[in-house]
Amino acid sequence: MSINLVVVGMGYVGIPCAALFAAVDGINVIGVQRRSKRSGWKIDYINKGMCPIGGKEPGLAEQIRTVVQKKSLTVTDDISVCKDADTILIDVQTPVNENNVPEYESLISVSEFIGKYLKKGVLVVLESTVAPGTTKNIVKPILEKNSGLIAGSDFYLAYSYERVRPGRLLRNIVHLPRIVGGVNDISSQKTAELYKHIVKSEIHVTDCLTAETTKCVENAYRDSNIAFANEVALLCERLKINAYEVIKLTNSLPNVDVHIPGAGVGGHCLPKDTWLLLYGVEKYGTSKTKKVQIMTAAREINNYMPVHMANFVEEALSEAKRKVEGSRITIMGLSYLENTDDTRNTPSLPLINILQSKGAEIIVHDPHVKKFEGMMLTDNLDEAIEGSDALVLVTKHDDYLSLKPENIKNLMRTLVVVDGRNVFDPSLFAEHGFVIKTVGKA
Ligand code: SAJ
């Protein structure tokens, strides 16, 4: 067997996927990455055998080193390498704009290039999360127009989404079931055959519209579950009881799995996949039968959590006889997920913006994020705490778990803590004179 595979887009999905395929005997992988200001550096970095993804990512650095040494993975900014490919994976970002409409600029331009270089017999697989209907109504016509070939007969086209989560990139690709949806049966079969090389779980075959919809539904479901937990937390705060106790007891019932409330929901997927789903339905579905309520309400609740955190900071500072204006506030965690460097749609950002608009001086600490949009960041926790009027924990990084009130009280100017991830014991902090507020606790 010999496969020339091109992976377009070296991000959180493209990199682990390329590294896994490159480890298979007979598969040669070329990754394609634009030399943009933000991510162009990754090209040389990976070509030197180094892993550009920070945080705790088990096995990834070693996997990249091995396949680069073996010369089965190289990265380039030249998308014309697609002309020698027999399989092409598309792993570009598919964000939504401020009106929750998908921004497909990258997807469209990459599809145009691929179409230009497409040859007969090539398999193209879209892995990015997209609105239902995108593969058939956007990608397929572009590929056909630019190549003069017919999808499903001259070349093969499928949608098969990733289920990666930072911190478990390799594990999720290898061990979670894979959904494959071709534009026709032969496209599905060829795609299922491809993933058998790296996926050790079941491969479910369906059509591409069903596969696209399933991906969006998975994430809308998780988002709604988290919103339910956040609403429970807000209600329990009003009753002055502990939401975590209520959730633990509720979850003692079989088949119930109330999720974990917190400072907000970030990441590339959960904040936008509901909108992709609804966009696809509006555009390609039949007329409305019933107003969409649950998923959009979930989005609203989850987006409210950073506002709730800001309110907590204001209340706690006021109890400590300070105003937000002029206070030095330490944000603990900029990445959206614990122990990762991924800052996409992080809930820390709206929280920082609110506090800054009220005149606070913000110090951001994150052990894994080195740079973010010109923001001043430190990875030195003592330095971040020194002279602070409030510690505000947004991300549950391991570095914060062992923080003791007795060790930090002498560093701080005002003893205020706002805990967005239920990390600290409030009574312990209160004993040391702190005003502490925890999401979901009285
Ligand atoms: N969060 C909560 N409470 C929870 C779970 C998560 O507040 O109970 C927050 C997290 O703090 C984070 C956000 O939600 O800010 C998203 O967390 P996540 O654990 O869902 O992580 P993602 O968004 O990186 O990954 C999800 C994944 N879904 C699951 O783990 C069930 C992953 O499988 C998908 O592949 C991924 O979205 C994606 O890329 O679509």
Side-chain angles (χ1 to χ4, degrees), residues 47-87:
N47 284 335
K48 284 182 190 150
M50 295 190 290
C51 176
I53 297 174
K56 296 185 178 172
E57 207 51 77
L60 186 61
E62 200 185 351
Q63 180 91 5
I64 292 174
R65 197 169 46 246
T66 309
V67 293
V68 170
Q69 269 169 10
K70 198 180 133 196
K71 299 197 184 335
S72 55
L73 173 66
T74 50
V75 182
T76 174
D77 61 352
D78 181 4
I79 198 166
S80 75
V81 291
C82 287
K83 68 179 183 307
D84 299 317
D86 32 50
T87 305

Side-chain angles (χ1 to χ4, degrees), residues 99-387:
N99 300 317
N100 299 320
V101 172
E103 287 189 323
Y104 281 160
E105 282 81 0
S106 301
L107 180 63
I108 290 171
S109 108
V110 158
S111 302
E112 284 168 350
F113 277 115
I114 294 173
K116 203 169 122 190
Y117 298 115
L118 204 58
K119 287 182 318 203
K120 275 199 163 185
V122 172
L123 170 66
V124 181
V125 184
L126 175 57
E127 291 198 322
S128 313
T129 305
V130 290
T134 302
T135 309
K136 267 203 171 152
N137 296 292
I138 296 181
V139 177
K140 178 173 169 271
I142 297 176
L143 294 178
E144 289 182 332
K145 181 168 171 258
N146 284 267
S147 64
L149 301 173
I150 305 293
S153 53
D154 292 335
F155 72 96
Y156 309 100
L157 176 62
Y159 180 72
S160 179
Y161 59 93
E162 45 73 23
R163 284 170 155 166
V164 303
R165 182 176 183 267
R168 302 184 205 155
L169 295 177
L170 292 180
R171 200 176 79 181
N172 279 15
I173 294 176
V174 175
H175 295 290
L176 290 183
R178 186 94 194 182
I179 315 295
V180 163
V183 294
N184 62 352
D185 285 349
I186 182 149
S187 296
S188 297
Q189 278 163 27
K190 284 186 177 287
T191 309
E193 285 304 316
L194 174 75
Y195 285 108
K196 276 185 194 160
H197 292 297
I198 59 167
V199 173
K200 291 198 177 136
S201 186
E202 313 92 84
I203 297 182
H204 300 280
V205 173
T206 181
D207 61 89
C208 60
L209 182 60
T210 304
E212 290 166 331
T213 308
T214 308
K215 169 65 185 185
C216 292
V217 167
E218 275 176 24
N219 282 342
Y221 176 78
R222 185 162 173 81
D223 196 46
S224 304
N225 275 327
I226 300 168
F228 184 87
N230 281 333
E231 192 156 281
V232 168
L234 298 173
L235 297 176
C236 288
E237 284 172 17
R238 289 173 60 192
L239 289 171
K240 298 196 183 308
I241 56 172
N242 183 344
Y244 300 91
E245 177 73 2
V246 170
I247 290 171
K248 192 178 88 190
L249 297 174
T250 309
N251 286 349
S252 68
L253 190 64
N255 300 328
V256 174
D257 180 20
V258 179
H259 282 40
I260 307 164
V265 171
H268 181 56
C269 292
L270 265 52
K272 72 158 171 60
D273 289 354
T274 289
W275 305 123
L276 289 179
L277 174 61
L278 301 184
Y279 179 86
V281 172
E282 283 297 321
K283 200 153 172 78
Y284 306 114
T286 55
S287 62
K288 261 185 227 162
T289 49
K290 178 89 177 79
K291 197 169 166 252
V292 177
Q293 283 173 317
I294 293 177
M295 296 177 192
T296 49
R299 279 285 69 240
E300 203 181 304
I301 295 165
N302 290 339
N303 280 344
Y304 170 70
M305 297 314 287
V307 180
H308 185 59
M309 289 287 287
N311 292 342
F312 260 0
V313 175
E314 193 157 8
E315 284 168 28
L317 280 171
S318 156
E319 283 173 37
K321 311 271 176 288
R322 278 200 79 93
K323 284 195 170 128
V324 175
E325 187 176 5
S327 287
R328 189 179 154 92
I329 297 175
T330 309
I331 302 293
M332 292 161 71
L334 185 63
S335 65
Y336 83 91
L337 206 59
E338 60 271 17
N339 305 321
T340 78
D341 67 346
D342 192 340
T343 53
R344 291 176 293 177
N345 298 315
T346 173
S348 305
L349 196 57
L351 171 61
I352 291 168
N353 288 341
I354 297 170
L355 295 174
Q356 267 173 342
S357 72
K358 294 188 176 204
E361 181 200 348
I362 303 290
I363 292 93
V364 184
H365 175 271
D366 196 296
H368 304 292
V369 183
K370 305 283 169 254
K371 269 198 295 193
F372 184 79
E373 293 176 6
M375 192 180 275
M376 290 286 287
L377 271 155
T378 176
D379 58 4
N380 182 325
L381 194 52
D382 282 351
E383 197 179 286
I385 294 173
E386 181 99 56

